[in-house]
Amino acid sequence: MQEDAIGETDDHRRQIALRLTILARMLRSDFDRHVDRVGLTRSQWSLIATAARRPGSTQRQIAELLEMSEASAGRLIDRLEVDGLLERRELEGDRRARAVFLTEAANPLLEKMSRMARSREECWFRGLNEDQLEQLSGLLETLYNNMNTGPVALATATAS
């Protein structure tokens, strides 16, 4: 049998990359189906969860955490503010920036969504013990860091 131009190691890496791409799509799709049942989008839920974890963050900080443009974050915040789930408050020491906080109305939704997220995570990670989860987390962290600091990040930055 003739070996093709792609070595075994490269083929193995390509299969892993393909599997990660498919898994990411499957995770998003599964989560979207469940989030939709409470009338939210994944982006809205992500912003609510971020505001819950980091109360008082600015629109710019939220945009950076969610890896989205400030304008997109602003539109999401506007929408969630109209829905009564978030509020902007003046930021001490900076009259131009405003801090984002959850409202009391968001708490029941946050609890419901947290339960749903835990349920989905239990399904997704079924069969993995804590040691395996820790190992997987470390491996994914390495991939993440490679994407953000390695040649891929450099190539992406120079292409834009």
Side-chain angles (χ1 to χ4, degrees), residues 93-109:
D94 188 348
R95 293 184 311 162
R96 293 171 297 152
R98 303 204 22 168
V100 177
F101 294 89
L102 292 180
T103 64
E104 288 296 318
N107 288 332
L109 180 61

Side-chain angles (χ1 to χ4, degrees), residues 78-137:
D78 289 343
R79 174 63 199 195
L80 294 168
E81 196 171 27
V82 167
D83 292 344
L85 300 172
L86 295 178
E87 64 182 4
R88 290 180 171 109
R89 299 181 198 158
E90 288 187 22
L91 190 62
E92 287 185 36
D94 188 348
R95 293 184 311 162
R96 293 171 297 152
R98 303 204 22 168
V100 177
F101 294 89
L102 292 180
T103 64
E104 288 296 318
N107 288 332
L109 180 61
L110 183 64
E111 290 172 21
K112 184 176 188 174
M113 293 304 300
S114 293
R115 283 192 307 273
M116 188 276 302
R118 272 191 301 278
S119 168
R120 300 316 311 142
E121 290 159 0
E122 286 174 17
C123 178
W124 299 335
F125 297 110
R126 182 178 48 240
L128 297 175
N129 63 39
E130 285 303 313
D131 289 340
Q132 291 169 319
L133 288 171
E134 193 171 313
Q135 182 180 16
L136 177 59
S137 180

Side-chain angles (χ1 to χ4, degrees), residues 12-122:
H12 195 68
R13 288 177 180 161
R14 183 151 308 139
Q15 290 301 317
I16 292 169
L18 179 60
R19 180 63 52 101
L20 287 171
T21 301
I22 292 168
L23 282 170
R25 185 177 55 234
M26 290 172 70
L27 288 169
R28 282 191 309 271
S29 178
D30 181 71
F31 194 82
D32 287 348
R33 276 193 308 277
H34 287 82
V35 130
D36 188 53
R37 293 177 186 166
V38 293
L40 288 176
T41 66
R42 182 178 354 111
S43 296
Q44 290 170 326
W45 163 240
S46 296
L47 200 140
I48 290 169
T50 299
R53 280 195 296 277
R54 301 209 177 182
S57 294
T58 64
Q59 179 175 315
R60 172 176 284 148
Q61 291 167 331
I62 290 171
E64 288 172 6
L65 288 166
L66 296 177
E67 297 182 355
M68 63 173 41
S69 71
E70 268 190 76
S72 294
R75 286 190 296 275
L76 277 171
I77 292 167
D78 289 343
R79 174 63 199 195
L80 294 168
E81 196 171 27
V82 167
D83 292 344
L85 300 172
L86 295 178
E87 64 182 4
R88 290 180 171 109
R89 299 181 198 158
E90 288 187 22
L91 190 62
E92 287 185 36
D94 188 348
R95 293 184 311 162
R96 293 171 297 152
R98 303 204 22 168
V100 177
F101 294 89
L102 292 180
T103 64
E104 288 296 318
N107 288 332
L109 180 61
L110 183 64
E111 290 172 21
K112 184 176 188 174
M113 293 304 300
S114 293
R115 283 192 307 273
M116 188 276 302
R118 272 191 301 278
S119 168
R120 300 316 311 142
E121 290 159 0
E122 286 174 17

